[in-house]
Amino acid sequence: MSNRPYVELTGVSKSFSPGHTVLDNVSLAFRRGEIHAVLGENGAGKSTLLNILFGMHQPDTGGILLEGRQVIHRSPADAIANRIGMVHQHFKLVPGFTVAENLRLATTPETRTMLRRDADIAGIAERYGLPIDPAAVVSTLPLSLQQRVEILKVLINKAELILFDEPTTILNPGEIEAFYAVVRQIAANGRAVAVVTHHLEEVLAHATHVSVIRRGKLISSGPIGTRTREDLVQDIVGRDIDLTMPIERSGRASEQAELTLEHVDVAPNESSSGLRDASLRVQAGEIVGIAGVEGNGQRELFDVLAGLRKPDRGTIEVRSVHPDGRAVAGLVPEDRHSEGLVLDLPVSINLLLNVFGKPPYTRHGRLFHSEIATAAEDLRRQADVRAPSINVTPRTLSGGNQQKIVLARALNEDAPTVIAYQPTRGLDVAASEDVLLKLRAAANHGKAVIIISSNLDEIMRVSDRIVVLFAGQTVGDVPASTPREVIGELMTLGTRTGTDKP
């Protein structure tokens, strides 16, 4: 196999506004047979790089070489014609269409003739190792299968370079392993693969080449070799972050429970076990981490705690309530796009959504824009939301800055409890650390904090206690210092097998 790159970026620079450079003279090569991971902080320019390759943006300077010849991608159609495909972080599917209809819609006219029958599509999917029911309506499929449809779209269009933007953010651990098995097969068949991700362990386990971008500049690029998590972190953020040390606690938890769940049931569904006789007690001044394999009742627990649904059985007691009946908790939902933000309203409005209808921002039905702007700018600075101004929309910002808005609003809520569901999902190591530090500070200042996360390492670092969900039941309530293998047994077996049970 020739070592000449299939695609090269040569000296690419890109700015979206004067003085705000997103990419600065970046050159990268993508070779057949390689899984090329691209790392960097949120907002470093990684997604912009993929979008330039796929023709969604054009570079200000520099260009693209395809097997050594200059090409110009004015649109995704040009990229597809040059055998480049992209699987976006937010899928580009028509939810009400079937799998077959989505695939036919996305293919070129010459390819579409091969997909006339559902049986043709099923056969192609099997050959690629991605079996799926062509008649299934996309909206009824779990996210892992929707992603499979996106991968089939680019393979059916005969892509030789496949770009993945944050592909594992929405997958559970088993699905992540299955995803990389597919990616390895794609590379083994002679295609080039580029994966933008924040998950360093995945990169070390599966990538063959790794490049790091920091604030638009290429910091390093080369074979994975002997690279370690520590030196990748150093390249990504420009400083050392110890991802193993517990985050410092101060103060003591109150003796009195701020929030109590007792014997709560919520009916199961196709993707989750629901809740069965679940109980939970959280005190002011502590962080309780909720651990468990995804699909074991986490979504239902968040909805019940947030007041979004009533349990079928059981009770919820909250010690502190607002006199005006407002929310008793600051909420960080799982999906910041659909649940945490109004993407096309200004950052200022999103920061103040929870208090927007109250004085001094609104009086007698009138908005006081100067009050809104002053408060929002103060909150933006405190939260380090990196945006050109508070008047831009969250849709234009990186995922990390979007999450900073959601978290700032939750912590600005004067309720005594904060409930965060997957608060670091899709964030780089620096942004994740910032989120955890802010949640720890909230607990240190007397708030009761609940973190529901699939990242056990983070839960163990930041929590005071860990409650484990298994098949909808709370099967363990243990100190955060409990050995990882004990917590793992609770997560996967629902019980502890050792004799030295804490």
Side-chain angles (χ1 to χ4, degrees), residues 209-474:
H209 193 102
V210 60
S211 298
V212 178
I213 297 174
R214 188 197 313 151
R215 299 194 176 184
K217 292 180 180 292
L218 182 65
I219 302 300
S220 62
S221 184
I224 199 74
T226 58
R227 301 219 58 176
T228 65
R229 183 169 67 167
E230 289 72 26
D231 72 76
L232 287 174
V233 169
Q234 176 69 42
D235 280 358
I236 291 167
V237 302
R239 57 189 171 90
D240 291 326
I241 298 177
D242 191 337
L243 302 177
T244 61
M245 287 293 291
I247 294 175
E248 185 176 353
R249 301 154 173 81
S250 66
R252 296 182 60 185
S254 165
E255 294 295 325
Q256 200 163 11
E258 193 64 59
L259 184 151
T260 305
L261 246 71
E262 291 187 339
H263 309 299
V264 166
D265 287 355
V266 174
N269 57 53
E270 288 183 0
S271 60
S272 174
S273 63
L275 294 175
R276 293 191 296 140
D277 199 33
S279 297
L280 176 67
R281 186 176 188 271
V282 188
Q283 297 159 199
E286 73 168 347
I287 295 180
V288 174
I290 309 297
V293 178
E294 289 193 54
N296 278 267
Q298 290 94 330
R299 178 77 233 188
E300 289 80 2
L301 179 63
F302 178 82
D303 288 350
V304 166
L305 292 173
L308 297 174
R309 67 185 296 175
K310 292 183 178 179
D312 301 327
R313 182 181 75 94
T315 60
I316 305 171
E317 294 183 7
V318 179
R319 186 170 69 87
S320 303
V321 295
H322 288 296
D324 61 5
R326 286 193 292 119
V328 298
L331 301 177
V332 181
E334 178 185 25
D335 187 338
R336 54 182 168 265
H337 277 197
S338 63
E339 300 173 304
L341 296 165
V342 185
L343 288 169
D344 294 315
L345 286 180
V347 166
S348 58
I349 302 300
N350 277 277
L351 282 166
L352 299 171
L353 276 174
N354 55 333
V355 294
F356 191 62
K358 302 285 182 180
Y361 315 112
T362 305
R363 299 192 196 98
H364 310 296
R366 294 179 58 199
L367 294 177
F368 285 76
H369 293 284
S370 61
E371 299 280 0
I372 292 168
T374 299
E377 181 58 30
D378 285 346
L379 199 54
R380 184 197 69 78
R381 281 199 301 268
Q382 292 170 28
D384 190 31
V385 178
R386 297 176 188 177
S389 81
I390 56 172
N391 298 316
V392 301
T393 64
R395 190 181 295 279
T396 66
L397 304 180
S398 68
N401 283 304
Q402 291 174 353
Q403 190 72 342
K404 286 179 182 179
I405 294 171
V406 176
L407 183 63
R409 187 176 65 231
L411 296 178
N412 191 45
E413 174 69 65
D414 58 355
T417 305
V418 177
I419 305 168
Y421 188 11
Q422 305 287 16
T424 65
R425 174 167 278 179
L427 304 187
D428 62 72
V429 288
S432 297
E433 191 75 0
D434 183 65
V435 166
L436 297 179
L437 289 170
K438 283 184 167 64
L439 290 170
R440 184 69 253 174
N444 290 346
H445 285 91
K447 286 186 181 284
V449 178
I450 300 169
I451 300 177
I452 305 170
S453 175
S454 58
N455 190 322
L456 183 56
D457 291 328
E458 288 184 348
I459 288 180
M460 294 181 72
R461 288 184 64 212
V462 76
S463 301
D464 298 293
R465 291 186 292 119
I466 296 175
V467 173
V468 180
L469 278 176
F470 176 80
Q473 295 180 297
T474 44

